[in-house]
Each structure stands twice: as C-alpha cells, then as structure tokens.
Amino acid sequence: MSVKLDVLTQFEQVAKEQKRTLAPLSDDLVLLDSGLDSLCLAIIVARLEDALGFDPFAAEDADFPVTLGDFVRLYEDAAHAAP
Amino acid sequence: MPPTPPPDVPSLWSALAAAGRLFDRVLAGAHARVTLGDLLGGSSLGGRLEALRGRSVLLATGDQLTAALALIELDGVAGRLVLCPPDLPAAQLPFVVATAEVQACVTDRPAPEAGVPGVDVVAGCSPLLAPADAERRGGHPTEWILLTSGTTGQPKMVVHTLASLAGAITSGTPAEPAVWSTFYDIRRYGGLQILLRALLGGGSMVLSSAQESTGDFLMRAGAHGVTHISGTPSHWRRALMSPAARRIAPRYVRLSGEIADQAILDHLRAAYPDARIAHAFASTEAGVAFDVGDGLAGFPASLIGPRGGGMELKVEEGSLRIRSARTAARYLGGPVEGLADRDGFVDTGDMVELRGDRYYFVGRRGGIINVGGLKVHPEEVEAVINGHPRVRMSLVRTRKNPITGALVVADVVLQAAATAANGHAAELEREIIGLCRDALPRHKVPTAIRFVSALPVAATGKLVRHDA
C-alpha cells in the first residue's frame, strides 16, 4: 500500500541527503544495519509525520521496531487505526 | 564585599547639569518634550519630591518621558528607585513591592488606577512641569533596582548604583552634541545605558514608545536628527525591514542584548555606510563589559584577562565571566544562587567558542537543543541561516522526536524583496539547508524550514524563545 511506499521513499531520500549508503531495502533488513544512523531515522520519522499526519511512536505502548518490516508495520497499523 | 561608595557621590542631576548647555538639550517622548533647562526650576513630580526623600520608590509610569524625568529628579533624593518595566505582570507587583520594601509610588496614570496595594504615598508624574518644591541636593547614594525575568516566575531584582551603571560612560561635553536614541525601553539595562550616556555626555535623547510602530519611531528619531542609536539585533532586523530606516542618518549604531552575527553587522554597514557600528556586551547583572568596533562578529581573544580599572574577563566551563566595578552589587531578596562567585566574577551564562584569535558567542547555557545527546545552540545555527542573502532573520527551535529526543528546525523571515511563494520555497529551503551543511555538523543542520512573515520579539527586544 501507499504507506509502505511513503516509508521506503523517505528512507531513500534521507539516505541521499545525508550521504549514506543505504543497504538494499527488504522487510527483514535490520534497521541498525541499514546504513542509517539515529539522526537519519529521526528525520525519517519527522518527515513521515508531516506527510501522513501521525507519529506511531507517540503511542506509549509502541514497540521499538527492529527490522524495516517492523517499521513499516508500525506505520500501516497506525494508518488503519487513524480515523 | 562591594566597594564603599565615595562620600560625595554626585547625583544624576548634578552630573548632567555639569555637562552644561541645559536649554539646548532635549528629552523627547512620543507626546511631549522637555529641555533639561526646564528642570532648573521645574519639577515633574507636582510638588511631591520632598515627600519621597529617603524612601523606597516604585517608578511605575506608563510613558518613558515621565520615567526619565522622575529618575533625574529622584536620584540622590530617594533611598531606593525600583524601575518597573512597562510589561511587568500585575500579579508580580506585590512580590516586587514586598521585596523592595516599597514605601511610595510614582505614576503617570489617572487617579483610579494609580494606586499600588500596600503603598500609601502616591506621587503623580507629568511632563507639564510644576515649580520645584525641594532642593535636588545629592549626597544620598540611591539604590537603583532593575528587574529581569527570573526562571521561577518572579522577577530577579538587581541592585545597582549610579556609579555602577555609569561606569562605562565618559562624561563631558562633546564638540558635536549627540542626539541619542534607543529602541529599548529605558526601564531596562540596555535602554538605561543610553539615557545615561545622553544625560552624562552632554547630549539629548529621543525616547521610544511601546504604542508606536517601528516606522513611526524611526521617522520621529529622524526628525530629531538622531546621531547615536542603539537596539538589539532583533530590533535592528525589524528596523531594516521598514522603509523609514532611511529616515535616520546616525553617526553611531550600537547593538547589544543578543548575539550580533556577521549578517546583521554587514546589513547595518550597508544601510549606514558612514556610521561607526559597534556591538557591546552587557547584561543587567554583569554591567557593560566591552564594545567591539571592528565590524566583525565575536570579540578578540586579547580581551580575556585583566584589563585595568579592576575589570577582568575569563572563560570557564565555556561561559564568559566578568569581574568589574560595573557589575550589580547583589540581588534584592537574594534568590538561592548569588550574583557573583567568591572571587567576584559574574557568570553571564553566555557560551563562547574560540576560533583562531577570536571568541564567538554561540548561545545561552539554558537554551541548548539536545539532539541525541549532542548539543546545539540555536543562535549558532541562526548565524549561518542569517548569512543567506535573502534571509532577514531566523529562529531555530526544537522539534520533539521519538528517536533522538529532539531535532533542529528553523523559522525564517525573508528580506522584504524576497518571497517564498510558489516553487521558490523548496529551492530556497534547499539553498539554506545547503549553507548549513557546509558550515555545521550534521546534527545542527535544520531538518525543516518554515517561511514565516514575522517572528515574535519580546518587550525586551529579544527574540521570543520557547525552548529556553
């Protein structure tokens, strides 16, 4: 769905801006091995909040994602929950 | 121990009178003007001066001209003068009255609103002078109390004397009379410095008014032939956005109260090519420390160390510290932390960084944005953004983030001629961020830029910072 596309686009965009070499994107890619550091991930979360209108990390019970698949699911679940 | 004042402290009135030419020297407010000569036999206090002798007096006028007149008359007469800034919240007044043991109030407000709870003696103050009722003899060293915003919600009350306030001022009569002005309110340290410079240095003074637009004030200042004018960098950025900035032709332009970055110094140089442009470092607590007149941001590292006249600057734990006869004596009512350390140094809380042979101000200790454990001073990022030719001013602030705790974002006001309309916004944002990437480490680069038409400037003349 488009949420996943939005997420992947931001990964590529931010990697380019921050001059990082991005590992090939797959659901089981561990975020820590993606080539992006916390600052990059922080920027991705902020950009997604601007684009999608929500921040799934704001929920107190949000589990921290380990893989790219977890990360995408977090956003997809939040998109379903959103009105 | 604070130095004991000499026994024959001259009062403000006797010191300004010594500079002479009293009938040529004007105090001009937004609605009235008075020459210093008018004060020879006249009084703004309506025959109440004697009633205020030796008392702790709250100066709570709305208008700056009445405040200036009352200050001139009351120094050396009142025991203590509490300078009430015009925007002091009414809820803080009881604290101020109790802490300063206020016994009398000077006001220019009409009778029903004039009273202050718990203060019996009320003296009206007006630019329509009445015959003076009492001798303005000095000899009584008046305490001057300036209010600064504290962190606890109550103002800090800073104790000065005319001697500590005027320590940086050379008195006398200049060959070419100066007409001073300032965007500051004279109830604040930055504005009071300018009033005292005008009075002690043989000049005149054009006072600003909170009810007047920047443009109207500049036109009035221009009409009075202002030669020396001061304000914060935020005041000046706003002034340069006004077409009326061309109505003044100052010989001397002074900046204080905020970091003067290279961009604002360059803009002022371009606007006033014949003026001497200086940025001063001063604070209510630390007094005036130094002026920098070479047109460059920051200050020469050679200023650090003992500098004669008992003045000494040092940098410790990254912040600038000052010891001098111009620092305030103490806080009234004494908040937990003292004003100066055991060696007499006042910690300004202004963080500096040595680059080459110059120190640069990077921001306030309390204003740091923490990006994943890495510190960012908003002001150091603003200095880079303001260097873009189409930017007038900027405010860097924090955006909460679940990964790094915070990210850096920026609100930007463009030059009058520039617009961020249509497709230009994205292009400008890229340019500005590119500028930041070239000059700053990654975590300091704004992750988003918002173009705004204006930024809020507080009554202190400083940018309003919510993060701090």
Side-chain angles (χ1 to χ4, degrees), chain B residues 8-24:
Chain B
D8 56 339
V9 189
S11 69
L12 180 53
W13 169 252
S14 62
L16 78 85
R21 298 189 311 107
L22 293 184
F23 284 98
D24 298 332

Side-chain angles (χ1 to χ4, degrees), chain B residues 313-337:
Chain B
L313 304 181
K314 67 174 179 179
V315 176
E316 212 170 279
E317 292 167 6
S319 73
L320 181 65
R321 295 160 195 234
I322 297 167
R323 177 167 67 188
S324 88
R326 306 168 198 166
T327 62
R330 64 184 197 281
Y331 288 120
L332 212 57
V336 268
E337 78 274 30

Side-chain angles (χ1 to χ4, degrees), chain B residues 408-439:
Chain B
V408 172
V409 294
D411 293 342
V412 171
V413 179
L414 296 173
Q415 302 277 2
T419 56
N422 308 325
H424 297 303
E427 189 186 322
L428 258 181
E429 176 168 0
R430 265 197 303 279
E431 278 180 30
I432 293 169
I433 288 180
L435 201 60
C436 292
R437 285 216 175 101
D438 291 344

Side-chain angles (χ1 to χ4, degrees), chain B residues 72-359:
Chain B
I72 291 169
E73 293 197 63
L74 284 167
D75 180 62
V77 173
R80 178 180 277 171
L81 273 171
V82 183
L83 277 64
C84 206
D87 58 334
L88 183 78
Q92 294 184 356
L93 206 49
F95 171 83
V96 171
V97 166
T99 308
E101 300 169 77
V102 168
Q103 299 159 309
C105 171
V106 169
T107 177
D108 57 3
R109 296 190 171 88
E113 329 161 18
V116 174
V119 179
D120 300 330
V121 181
V122 177
C125 185
S126 160
L128 303 170
L129 303 185
D133 67 308
E135 197 190 340
R136 235 169 267 147
R137 57 191 148 84
H140 196 305
T142 301
E143 274 187 340
W144 293 51
I145 313 297
L146 284 116
L147 272 53
T148 68
S149 52
T151 45
T152 57
Q154 299 291 11
K156 285 183 179 174
M157 304 178 67
V158 183
V159 182
H160 274 283
T161 60
L162 184 60
S164 66
L165 289 167
I169 301 170
T170 340
S171 54
T173 316
E176 266 191 280
V179 181
W180 287 84
S181 191
T182 175
F183 295 97
Y184 277 110
D185 190 287
I186 57 161
R187 273 73 59 96
R188 300 184 193 286
Y189 189 89
L192 188 56
Q193 275 298 311
I194 300 307
L195 177 69
L196 293 176
R197 261 154 229 254
L199 295 176
L200 300 175
S204 294
M205 173 90 183
V206 180
L207 297 153
S208 62
S209 162
Q211 280 77 45
E212 194 175 39
S213 74
T214 300
D216 288 349
F217 168 63
L218 285 165
M219 305 245 270
R220 191 161 59 82
H224 282 284
V226 157
T227 59
H228 293 56
I229 176 163
S230 91
T232 63
S234 289
H235 281 139
W236 279 113
R237 291 184 189 106
R238 193 162 60 181
L240 291 178
M241 293 172 86
S242 166
R246 280 182 244 124
R247 303 294 283 269
I248 58 170
R251 303 202 300 263
Y252 176 68
V253 167
R254 183 181 171 93
L255 303 95
S256 65
E258 287 180 306
I259 299 170
D261 59 31
Q262 194 59 49
I264 186 63
L265 293 171
D266 292 347
H267 285 305
L268 285 167
R269 165 60 57 230
Y272 305 114
D274 300 325
R276 194 154 60 83
I277 295 168
H279 54 104
F281 181 85
S283 78
T284 309
E285 281 94 341
V288 180
F290 53 84
D291 287 12
V292 182
D294 60 9
L296 299 174
F299 60 92
S302 57
L303 288 180
I304 297 295
R307 295 182 45 225
M311 160 76 77
E312 181 166 355
L313 304 181
K314 67 174 179 179
V315 176
E316 212 170 279
E317 292 167 6
S319 73
L320 181 65
R321 295 160 195 234
I322 297 167
R323 177 167 67 188
S324 88
R326 306 168 198 166
T327 62
R330 64 184 197 281
Y331 288 120
L332 212 57
V336 268
E337 78 274 30
L339 192 140
D341 70 12
R342 194 176 301 176
D343 300 326
F345 281 91
V346 174
D347 182 356
T348 63
D350 286 299
M351 310 301 283
V352 294
E353 199 175 272
L354 185 62
R355 288 175 226 149
D357 58 358
R358 234 172 146 81
Y359 276 99

Side-chain angles (χ1 to χ4, degrees), chain B residues 437-463:
Chain B
R437 285 216 175 101
D438 291 344
L440 298 165
R442 290 172 64 224
H443 65 283
K444 298 184 181 180
V445 174
T447 60
I449 287 183
R450 192 169 62 135
F451 293 103
V452 296
S453 57
L455 285 168
V457 175
T460 54
K462 304 182 187 193
L463 270 177

Side-chain angles (χ1 to χ4, degrees), chain A residues 18 20 37 42 46 49-50 57, chain B residues 399 401-404 442 447:
Chain A
Q18 297 288 326
R20 302 270 139 173
D37 62 1
E49 186 184 0
D50 291 342
F57 291 90
Chain B
R399 171 175 178 174
N401 186 276
I403 313 280
T404 51
R442 290 172 64 224
T447 60

